[in-house]
Amino acid sequence: MATDTLTATQRETLGVFDAAGAPLSTTEVASALDRGRRSTYERLDRLAEAGALETKKVGASARVWWRPRARRRETGAEPASLVSALEEYAIVGLDPEGRIRTWTPGAEAVTGYAAEQARGEHVSRLYTDADTAAGVPGAHLERARETGSVAEEGWRVRADGSRFRASVTITPMREEAGELTGYASVMRDVTERRAREEALRTERTQLERVLETGQVGVGVFDGDGEAIRTNRRFRDLLGRPAEAGDLELGEATVRELDGDPLPPAERPAQLAIATGEPVEDRHVSVETADGGRRILSVDAAPLADGGDSVVVTASDVTALVEQARRLEQRHEDLLAEFEEMFDRIDDAFFALDADWRFTYVNERAGEVLDRAPGRLVGENVWEAFPAAADSTFRDRYREAVQTSESVTFEEYFPPLGAWFAVSAYPSESGLSVYFRDVTERKRREAERERYAGLVDAVGEPVYELDEAGRFVFVNDAFLEYSGYGEEELLGEHVSVGMREADIDRVEGRILEHLAGDAEGPLTVEYEVESKGGERIPVENRISVLRDDDGSIRGTAGVMWDVSDRRERERELTERIRQQEAVTDLSTRALAVEDVDALLEEAVRTVADTLGVEYASALDLDAAGLEPNEDGFLETDERAQTDLEHVFAVGDVAGEPMLAHKASKEGVVAAEVAAGEPAALDYQAMPAAVFTDPEVGTVGLTEAEAEAEGFEPVVGEFRFRGSGRAMTTNHTEGFVRLVADEETGFVLGGQIVGPEASELVAEVALAVEMGATLEDVAATVHTHPTLAEATMEAAEHALGQAIHRLNR
């Protein structure tokens, strides 16, 4: 077979034998080519049929292959012209002792030695010094003489001292009687080939690394569907474990996205082989190991090597396809929702396209415009309503389209004899218009303007509400009284500033008033809160407003501030109560014998009547106790005063004035009084401020720790880094831990942010039990929770933070 008739793959296969120089098995060739055994066998078989290889069966089913040797002419003479023409081969004749006898031009070209320099020299001159010292040249000749031939590859030395990689074959030469007459050595410089092979190996290694670490599955298959190469991701996508061996096309169960099986002939790889054309982004479905479904995007293209191999890539697009399906479903749901919403809109609504044609008209718009919605769709708005073509309506609609900004206006339309409040919203497809008939409101506003001056002359707060209880008019006196501006009140419900209980009570009174057909106004009293936060008791005289047909169109009211009257009533009631208490005590003092009990009751009664704390009325002098300069009783950690049998708990014992502190002091005092060992650690006493954001604190601050002689270390974590805080949209604030740098003991903590009053309990526990930063950091916290911030702060103090920069 002529070399120029070989394909690239056939030349590649023969190159394996050139490098080996010895018979090879099918498996050895497949390994060298990095291909499947079946496709490699087919290549070898075709080369053997063409005479480029010889083969022999070995054992039951194995086979070896080799390159046929060129037969030597019977005369033993070498054709001089052929030998001389092979300049890339160094052909050297040696005598039986290994000295150079013949030297071809090719030998001179390869080694740099001229014929006169080489002849008579021992062949070891071409070997490296190390090989010569090791006896390699002689060993080669001896092995060739014993085995009939030696083929090896090693380093040789040129005349200029440079080294080159050589492929060498040494064959003994004998007479017919078998006597050794010398050796024929054929040597070729393979340095560049070896460099190319090394580069190829490096490139192949890098390609392997890319293939095995990439997220795209890649597979190469021969014409029979046998896998030549597949990466791990390809096998994973098809649910093929590594130990299951190579894949074959058609082996995996592949389905259409609708679940129908996809015939093998219609699959991407087989289509690419059959048509010679690439197949791109074909979506197919495969089953996963757990019985689920995985959607793959598959590309397949024939390899441009003259053969029938195909490369296939696959990517998992399950999430993308499912997301697209959900978006499509959401799109359809929104369209249906919009249709339903348009039908429910109380306002009249119509939509126009870029050519001012109606594209949608809801039922309410049809009623207001006195036109059938179906007949308006497709008609030009200016042709349907010529009177609007030269009006404010057209000017404002065009303004919205030209500026791409919405417009809102009110305008009178003579053909319908009505005022309309209009809002127009531009979009890429046209204009959306919402409008409602405000003719009645305009009439009332005109009426209101007529009597507004009269109402302002009254000097008292006056207001008017519509049928829904919304302000439609307030006079200046009402604005001054409430602290609000007119624009802040108009349109708002009358319940602004009212308590829920008062709202229910007043509404109930109004309903009762209307149900009883009572004549005249209704008078109610309640409290309102001004814009500045002042609570004002008022008397409101409410009148019902009716239209000409008797239907209720709203209410009007006049309000008076009754603060002074309420205060006078309260003072009078208090004086009566105090007088009654004194009178009762005076009367009982004349009748009882237990004066001490009466005095004790009198103290309580006086404290209650005067509105003072009972503790301030205690006779401490009689008990032998004296308050400190701040007015509190001094106690120890067992809640005991200077008198062993007297305990003080709560506010009388001083700050902090906290309910939980008082409760704990009461428990400790009871236990000590009962003879049990008990004490209270005030450093572990938490405190909270229920503001927004909340504040929680316990133990020492950094400054307090330094003042007490500690060398504090501080860790902090801000809630803006907390997943739970972000989900609740409360990311302001932080958790800060203060600890002793030497021992790691937690000395205190400060928390500002969501649920600080709850979170501070964990820090209080750490201070109480003597926990260290390591204890807090090592405690696993549920994720995502706000409490994780305490763990994060401990890790930050230790310099082990992973969700924020360490100090």
Side-chain angles (χ1 to χ4, degrees):
M1 175 183 285
T3 303
D4 56 1
T5 64
L6 295 175
T7 66
T9 55
Q10 290 173 332
R11 287 194 296 272
E12 179 188 24
T13 305
L14 290 176
V16 176
F17 291 92
D18 290 340
L24 297 173
S25 67
T26 306
T27 301
E28 290 173 325
V29 178
S31 177
L33 294 175
D34 194 19
R35 294 183 62 86
R37 189 175 182 280
R38 181 189 298 177
S39 59
T40 301
Y41 181 88
E42 292 176 353
R43 283 192 187 185
L44 295 171
D45 192 49
R46 286 195 292 268
L47 287 170
E49 290 178 356
L53 290 177
E54 292 185 2
T55 181
K56 179 181 180 181
K57 187 174 182 181
V58 179
S61 59
R63 184 171 290 277
V64 294
W65 314 78
W66 68 90
R67 292 288 298 273
R69 297 179 181 273
R71 294 185 177 179
R72 188 175 303 149
R73 297 178 180 233
E74 290 184 0
T75 60
E78 300 175 356
S81 60
L82 177 61
V83 172
S84 298
L86 297 175
E87 292 190 359
E88 64 180 74
Y89 289 90
I91 301 177
V92 181
L94 306 177
D95 64 14
E97 284 74 30
R99 289 186 295 272
I100 299 172
R101 188 162 53 191
T102 60
W103 190 259
T104 65
E108 182 175 349
V110 172
T111 67
Y113 286 103
E116 58 272 16
Q117 293 177 294
R119 289 192 185 99
E121 294 291 333
H122 195 270
V123 71
S124 60
R125 185 168 185 175
L126 302 177
Y127 286 74
T128 64
D129 291 342
D131 285 348
T132 301
V136 173
H140 284 170
L141 296 177
E142 182 178 355
R143 195 161 77 245
R145 185 171 63 250
E146 294 176 353
T147 63
S149 178
V150 169
E152 63 92 21
E153 186 177 298
W155 291 105
R156 297 294 186 270
V157 182
R158 297 189 181 91
D160 61 3
S162 63
R163 300 199 311 170
F164 65 98
R165 195 75 177 175
S167 175
V168 181
T169 301
I170 302 175
T171 305
M173 307 294 291
R174 301 180 184 276
E175 293 183 347
E176 292 183 2
E179 182 178 353
L180 180 68
T181 61
Y183 301 89
S185 175
V186 180
M187 178 170 53
R188 185 183 182 187
D189 185 348
V190 295
T191 306
E192 292 184 2
R193 191 190 76 187
R194 282 301 182 190
R196 288 194 300 272
E197 291 175 351
E198 182 60 32
L200 182 60
R201 279 193 295 272
T202 301
E203 182 179 349
R204 182 173 295 175
T205 300
Q206 293 173 344
L207 178 60
E208 285 291 325
R209 187 175 294 113
V210 170
L211 287 175
E212 290 304 322
T213 58
Q215 292 303 304
V216 176
V218 180
V220 182
F221 297 86
D222 61 21
D224 295 327
E226 182 180 352
I228 298 172
R229 176 72 173 88
T230 59
N231 69 349
R232 176 189 55 79
R233 181 60 175 165
F234 192 91
R235 295 188 294 273
D236 290 346
L237 290 175
L238 294 180
R240 179 83 174 196
E243 63 272 11
D246 288 335
L247 284 166
E248 289 189 10
L249 290 177
E251 177 181 336
T253 301
V254 181
R255 298 180 182 276
E256 298 276 12
L257 294 188
D258 60 7
D260 291 339
L262 184 63
E266 297 180 15
R267 297 178 185 178
Q270 288 88 333
L271 282 176
I273 293 174
T275 64
E277 298 294 330
V279 177
E280 298 179 352
D281 195 26
R282 177 69 182 276
H283 285 191
V284 299
S285 172
V286 297
E287 293 182 1
T288 59
D290 59 2
R293 186 179 79 150
R294 177 180 290 127
I295 300 174
L296 304 179
S297 173
V298 181
D299 295 323
L303 287 176
D305 62 353
D308 52 5
S309 301
V310 63
V311 61
V312 182
T313 63
S315 302
D316 188 344
V317 295
T318 307
L320 292 176
V321 171
E322 289 298 321
Q323 182 182 27
R325 183 192 62 77
R326 289 194 298 270
L327 289 175
E328 179 64 24
Q329 183 61 47
R330 179 59 177 159
H331 176 69
E332 294 177 359
D333 292 344
L334 285 175
L335 288 179
E337 185 178 337
F338 286 151
E339 286 289 339
E340 183 179 353
M341 180 185 68
F342 288 149
D343 291 337
R344 295 198 310 264
I345 290 175
D346 291 333
D347 287 352
F349 169 80
F350 62 79
L352 303 174
D353 63 16
D355 295 322
W356 304 103
R357 291 189 299 264
F358 287 102
T359 59
Y360 183 84
V361 181
N362 73 351
E363 292 295 332
R364 179 58 179 157
E367 293 174 4
V368 174
L369 299 176
D370 195 23
R371 298 287 185 89
R375 293 187 177 182
L376 283 176
V377 173
E379 191 172 353
N380 183 281
V381 62
W382 313 125
E383 295 175 359
F385 299 95
D390 187 18
S391 69
T392 300
F393 292 95
R394 184 165 189 166
D395 294 340
R396 299 307 303 274
Y397 290 172
R398 284 184 170 179
E399 177 187 341
V401 172
Q402 292 170 0
T403 63
S404 296
E405 294 183 358
S406 61
V407 297
T408 300
F409 62 95
E410 293 184 354
E411 184 62 23
Y412 183 72
F413 190 53
L416 296 177
W419 279 89
F420 293 104
V422 183
S423 296
Y425 302 91
S427 65
E428 294 181 0
S429 59
L431 195 68
S432 298
V433 180
Y434 297 81
F435 63 102
R436 65 180 183 276
D437 187 338
V438 293
T439 306
E440 182 62 23
R441 194 199 75 201
K442 285 288 188 179
R443 185 184 65 79
R444 292 175 184 173
E445 288 175 352
E447 291 180 357
R448 192 174 298 112
E449 289 178 1
R450 286 196 297 270
Y451 67 78
L454 179 62
V455 170
D456 284 338
V458 174
E460 298 293 341
V462 178
Y463 65 89
E464 181 183 342
L465 309 176
D466 62 14
E467 64 276 11
R470 296 185 294 260
F471 286 106
V472 295
F473 171 79
V474 288
N475 68 350
D476 291 340
F478 191 95
L479 297 176
E480 182 179 356
Y481 159 81
S482 67
Y484 289 96
E486 184 178 28
E487 68 282 355
E488 295 179 287
L489 287 178
L490 294 184
E492 292 295 324
H493 195 267
V494 68
S495 59
V496 172
M498 293 179 64
R499 296 180 300 182
E500 289 293 333
D502 287 337
I503 294 173
D504 295 339
R505 181 171 58 84
V506 172
E507 285 184 349
R509 291 286 307 280
I510 293 174
L511 292 175
E512 290 176 4
H513 184 73
L514 295 176
D517 293 326
E519 296 291 337
L522 168 68
T523 301
V524 292
E525 289 189 11
Y526 54 90
E527 284 190 354
V528 296
E529 184 175 339
S530 69
K531 184 178 180 180
E534 180 184 4
R535 300 207 65 83
I536 306 170
V538 298
E539 177 184 292
N540 190 358
R541 186 170 297 175
I542 303 170
S543 299
V544 178
L545 303 178
R546 298 179 184 272
D547 285 329
D548 295 339
D549 60 1
S551 61
I552 298 175
R553 64 177 178 84
T555 57
V558 182
M559 302 176 68
W560 288 271
D561 184 346
V562 295
S563 299
D564 292 341
R565 191 191 75 191
R566 289 275 187 91
E567 180 61 24
R568 289 193 298 272
E569 291 175 350
R570 188 195 65 78
E571 290 178 354
L572 179 59
T573 301
E574 184 66 19
R575 287 177 183 177
I576 292 173
R577 189 172 69 88
Q578 292 174 0
Q579 185 61 44
E580 288 176 346
V582 171
T583 300
D584 180 64
L585 287 173
S586 300
T587 301
R588 294 177 62 188
L590 299 175
V592 300
E593 296 180 358
D594 191 347
V595 178
D596 290 338
L598 179 62
L599 286 176
E600 183 177 350
E601 183 178 351
V603 169
R604 291 193 181 92
T605 303
V606 170
D608 180 59
T609 304
L610 298 179
V612 298
E613 296 288 341
Y614 172 60
S616 64
L618 293 177
D619 188 359
L620 299 179
D621 292 336
L625 295 173
E626 184 177 354
N628 60 22
E629 60 183 7
D630 294 325
F632 302 112
L633 294 180
E634 297 284 349
T635 60
D636 58 15
E637 70 275 10
R638 299 186 301 173
Q640 284 183 311
T641 64
D642 294 335
L643 300 178
E644 185 177 357
H645 63 285
V646 179
F647 297 80
V649 302
D651 293 351
V652 72
E655 297 179 341
M657 296 182 180
L658 302 170
H660 51 273
K661 173 253 191 185
S663 176
K664 188 62 177 179
E665 285 176 334
V667 172
V668 170
E671 290 177 341
V672 173
E676 297 293 331
L680 185 63
D681 182 7
Y682 286 93
Q683 184 169 330
M685 182 66 64
V689 182
F690 296 90
T691 54
D692 187 7
E694 291 186 357
V695 179
T697 181
V698 65
L700 301 179
T701 64
E702 181 179 9
E704 291 170 343
E706 289 178 346
E708 291 194 18
F710 294 99
E711 293 186 5
V713 59
V714 177
E716 185 176 290
F717 185 80
R718 295 190 172 272
F719 284 112
R720 65 189 178 207
S722 164
R724 181 56 179 160
M726 287 189 284
T727 63
T728 61
N729 200 27
H730 291 83
T731 57
E732 58 279 330
F734 57 87
V735 174
R736 178 184 298 145
L737 293 183
V738 180
D740 180 26
E741 187 172 26
E742 180 179 356
T743 64
F745 289 128
V746 178
L747 303 176
Q750 299 82 44
I751 303 175
V752 177
E755 304 298 334
S757 58
E758 303 284 343
L759 300 177
V760 75
E762 180 180 0
V763 186
L765 176 62
V767 174
E768 172 64 30
M769 68 179 292
T772 66
L773 289 171
E774 286 84 357
D775 294 329
V776 179
T779 301
V780 179
H781 289 63
T782 308
H783 176 81
T785 59
L786 297 174
E788 288 178 291
T790 306
M791 176 186 70
E792 298 279 2
E795 291 176 342
H796 179 235
L798 293 169
Q800 300 172 0
I802 60 176
H803 295 123
R804 63 155 296 173
L805 294 176
N806 286 298
R807 294 176 294 109

